[in-house]
Amino acid sequence: MPQTARTSDTTGGSHGVQHVDIAVVGAGFAGLYLLHRLRQAGFTAQGLEAGDDVGGTWYWNRYPGARCDIQTTDYSFTFDPALEAAWQWSEKYATQPEILRYLGFVADRYDLRRDIRFGTRVTSARWNEATERWLLTTSAGPSVSCRCYVMASGCLSEPKPPEIDGVASFEGEVYVTGRWPHEGVDFTGKRVAVIGTGSSGIQAIPRIAEQAAHLTVFQRTPNFAFPAHNGPRPAHRVAPLVQDLAAYRAQARQSLSGVPLPRATEFSWQLSDDERRRRFEEALAAGDLVVMLSQLWADQGGDLEGNALAAEHLRGYIRSVVKDPATAEALTPRDHPFGSKRPCLETNYYATFNKPTVGLVNLRQEPIEAITARGIKTARRTVDVDAIVFATGFDAMTGAILAVHPITGRGGQSIDSLWAQGPQTYLGLTVAGFPNLFLITGPGSPSVLSNMAVSIEQHVDWVVDRLIDLRAAGFTTIEATATAQAGWQRHLADCTALSLHRLANTWYTGANVPGKAQGVMPYTGGVGPYRTICDDVVAQGMLGFRLGGPGGKTQCNDGEIVRLQPDARLVLGMMAGMNLPPIESMGAAGARAFVAQFNTTRPAGRPVGEVLDGTLPGADGAPLAWRLYRPATPGPHPIVVYYHGGGWVLGDAASDDPFCRDLCRRSGMIVVSVDYRHAPEHRFPAAPEDGYAALCWVAEHAGQLGGRAGPLLVAGWSAGGNIAAVTCQLARDRGGPVIAGQLLVCPVTDGTTFDRPSYTENATGYFLTRGLMHWFWDLYCSPAERGDPRVSPLQGRLAGLPPAFVVTAEFDPLRDEGIAYAEAMAAAGVPVEQLQARGHFHSSFTMVDVIATAVSGREHMAEALRRFAGTDEAGVLPKAAE
C-alpha cells in the first residue's frame, strides 16, 4: 500500500495510463460505499461503471414490478446515522425507481460521481509482478494502473442470454428483464410471452398482464412464492430503529441473515398440526422472506421432514388462490425443498392466472422447440405473439467477474482456468495467486443468502481496514495462500451439508447456465458467523495471507481459519461465551446438577414407536434403571444394549436420550439404554460389572422386551464406550452372551498414559478437556488399577472380539486412544471399521439436532449395526434369513 496518501487521481503518462491506488469496478451499493470509505482513508480511487449513472443492478433492472425482497428498513446503508435520518423510504418493499433515487441521493450526498468513469467496461486485468500493480484495459478512456483492484460488480448483474433457437428470426419485440429499456415499454393491446418464472418473472407477470391483450407464461420450473403484502413500512419493524438505531444495526450484523429477527427454536415434531398451521398463517400474513424462511420451526431449513411440512403449507396456499386445479398443480413446486431455490414475494402473481387473458405453458410437458418469426413453437403448439420477455435470470455470482476476460494473476494464470470446475476463493474476498485483488460479496461469502446491504458493508469495511493496516505496516501486497483457500473450500462444503440448497438446480449452484460447473456458491453459514471468521483472520495475524513489501519484506501466516465443522464451532463458541466454571471444579454433585440442567436446554429427541422405563438388577443386586426405545416398525427387532457417557461419574439411562432415539430410528432396532453405578460413590469395578450384568439381563429378557432371538449388539459413547468395549471382553471370557457387534463412539480405552498427541492438541477448548479427564480418572479408580483390562480395554486380550465400528473425533482428547484401540483390534484379527470424524469434537454425535453435520456419521453407525445384525435397511430380517 502507498506510504503517503494522495488526494487526486493522476491521469496521463506516455501511454495515456491513469494511475491510482485503487480501481473499483461497479457503482451500485458496493461500489459507492467503497469509494466513500477509500476517500476517507486517503486513497486515490477510480470507479469504472458500464452504466451511464450509479445504481448497479438497480440501474439495469427497470422491468415492471421490480422491487427489493428485503424490507427497506433493512435494505439500506447503515454506515452513517445522518444518512439514515436524511432518507425515509415510502414503502415496505421499495420499487426500482425509488431504490435508484436513493443510490443517486447517496452519490450526491458524498460527491461520489466525480470518482466514477461511466459508460466504461473493464475488458482485461493483468497483474504485473515487476511493478506489483494491476493494469486494467477499458472499453472507453485510458487504461488504469492500480495497486489494488476491487470488483464490486455485483452477484446478479450479468444477464443470462436466451438459449433458444431462432431468437434472431423473431420479428416482434424482444426484451430482457435485466436490461430493460429506460423509457419503459407499453404492452397495451399486444400478445406477450414471458419466458421464466423466477423472481423477475413473478414480479413482472402481473404488471404485464394488466396491459397485454393476452399474456402467455412459459414456465420450466415453478417456484415457491407468497404474498408481499406491500404498503407502508410496518410500524413494528420501524419502532426498534427509532428506539435504538445502533443496537438494531448491531444485531443485524451478528444475525444469520443480516436481518435481526428471532429464529424458531421449536422443532416441527414438537408442534401440533394446529400450531404449525397457526405459525404458517402468521408468516403468510407477515409477507416477509426472512420470517417465512426462519420462523416456522427450527428444522425447516436443514431437515427434509421439517421442510416438507413447510412446503406443503405453501402448496396449499397456491391451491387456495389459483382456481383451475390443473393450472394450480403446474404452478406448484415439487422438485426442490422450500428455500433451496430463492423463494419469491408475489403481488397478485397467482391470482393473475385466474384471468381469461393469461395462459400457462408447462415446459416440462411441452418444451420450446424454436422461436419463429411470429411466435414460439413448442412440442405441442405454436403460440403467436407480438413481444417476448426473457425473464431468464443471471449468470449469478461469477458471471460479472468472468465477464472481465482475462483476469491474469501470478505466472500468467487466469481466473477462468482456475475456476473451470467452480469458483475458489478465500473468504469469498480474495483468490490465491491474484495479489491485491478483492471481490465484494464474491462466491464463498454470504452475499445472496443474506441482506446484501449488511454483507456489502462488512466486506467493504474489512477490505478498506486491511488496506489501511497494510499501509501502516509498510506492506504493498496481500495474497491468500493455497492452504487457506483449500481450507475455505472445505468449510464451504461443510456448511453446504447443513443446508438443502445442494438438493436444487438453481442459480445458487450455477445450474441455470449451460456448461457452468455446479456447486453451491454462496456461504451458507450465516452473516454473523462469517463476520466473526473474518475478524478471527485478523486477530490471528492475517491467518491465511502472505504479505509483501519493499526490499523483500514478507509475512506469511499460513493455515486454515476454520477446521471445526460449522455447527460444532457455533456450539463451542456459545458455550465459551457462557464463561462456565470448569466442571471438575463443581464437585460430583454439582457437576451432576449442572449436566441435568444443561440437558433441559437441548432439543427433545424425535418420536420413536414406543419408550419404556424399568429397572434391572445390577452386579450387587441393587436396581439399575433402563430405558427402552422401540421402532415404529413391526417386530421382533434386534436389540442394542447402550451405555451412556459421563466419565463414570455423570449421567443415567436417559441422559443420552436424543442419541438413543436417533439410533433406534435409523437402525430400526430396539435400543436399551442401561444405567450403571457411578464414581466416586461406587469406584471401579462397579461400572463394568454392572455393564456386564445388564447385558446378561437383557439377553435373558430379549423376548419380553420385544427383541429378536439371537446375538445382541452393544454400543456406548465416551465412558459408555469404555464399558461397551470391556463388556465385549467379559462376554467372550465368561461364556456369553453372544455379541454380534460393538459400536464404540469416542471411547475411553486406555488410562495408563496421557502422552498421546490428541491429549495435548485438544487439551482445552473442546468441552471435554484434559483436566476434566484427569478428574474423571481420579474419581473412578487409582493409578495402580488402570492397567486392568476392565479399566483400559486396550491393555486386554483383543482376539476373538465381535466386529467393531469405532468412531473418533478430530478435536477430542480421546481421539488417539480410540484409533489405537481400533488398530489393535484389527491387528488381532477383529473385523474393524473406523470413522475418523473431521472437524468434530467429543460430544458432536450425541448432540442430535444440534450438530447436524454429524448426521452422516450417525447414518454410518446405523448401517454398521444393521450389518452386524444381518438386517436390511428397515431393521427387518431379509427374506433369505426369515
Side-chain angles (χ1 to χ4, degrees), residues 217-243:
V217 177
F218 292 80
Q219 172 193 268
R220 181 179 63 182
T221 304
N223 206 351
F224 286 105
F226 48 91
H229 299 307
N230 199 33
R233 292 191 300 163
H236 73 279
R237 293 292 289 275
V238 176
L241 273 77
V242 175
Q243 293 167 3

Side-chain angles (χ1 to χ4, degrees), residues 565-601:
Q565 291 290 334
D567 43 3
R569 180 177 180 272
L570 287 176
V571 168
L572 290 171
M574 177 193 70
M575 295 173 70
M578 296 169 68
N579 294 315
L580 298 170
I583 291 178
E584 58 268 32
S585 70
M586 301 178 184
R592 289 167 186 162
F594 167 77
V595 170
Q597 179 62 35
F598 182 82
N599 284 343
T600 64
T601 66

Side-chain angles (χ1 to χ4, degrees), residues 606-614 626-631 654 657 661 664 671:
R606 299 197 184 208
V608 296
E610 185 179 25
V611 177
L612 300 174
D613 291 309
W626 55 261
R627 173 167 287 185
L628 180 146
Y629 304 85
R630 191 189 314 283
D657 180 84
R661 289 172 181 267
C664 174
V671 175

Side-chain angles (χ1 to χ4, degrees), residues 583-584 587-588 591 649 770-780:
I583 291 178
E584 58 268 32
V649 175
R770 182 187 181 102
L772 181 56
M773 277 307 303
H774 278 293
W775 183 68
F776 284 146
W777 276 112
D778 289 343
L779 293 182
Y780 181 50

Side-chain angles (χ1 to χ4, degrees), residues 52 86 98 121 232 264 273 277 301 338 414 648 670 710 729 810 845:
D52 293 330
E98 184 173 14
R121 292 183 177 274
D273 290 344
R277 165 60 63 181
F338 167 60
S414 71
W648 311 282
I670 290 174
Q729 294 187 19
E810 181 179 6
F845 292 101

Side-chain angles (χ1 to χ4, degrees), residues 197-199 202 219 221-227 280 289 292-293 307-319 331-346 349-350 504:
T197 54
S199 180
I202 285 174
Q219 172 193 268
T221 304
N223 206 351
F224 286 105
F226 48 91
F280 173 74
L289 199 63
M292 187 65 81
L293 285 169
N307 184 274
L309 293 169
E312 191 50 41
H313 279 297
L314 284 161
R315 295 185 186 112
Y317 163 70
I318 297 170
R319 292 190 293 267
L331 290 167
T332 299
R334 296 191 183 277
D335 67 342
H336 64 276
F338 167 60
S340 58
K341 289 176 178 282
R342 179 80 169 197
C344 300
L345 294 174
E346 60 99 2
Y349 171 68
Y350 292 117

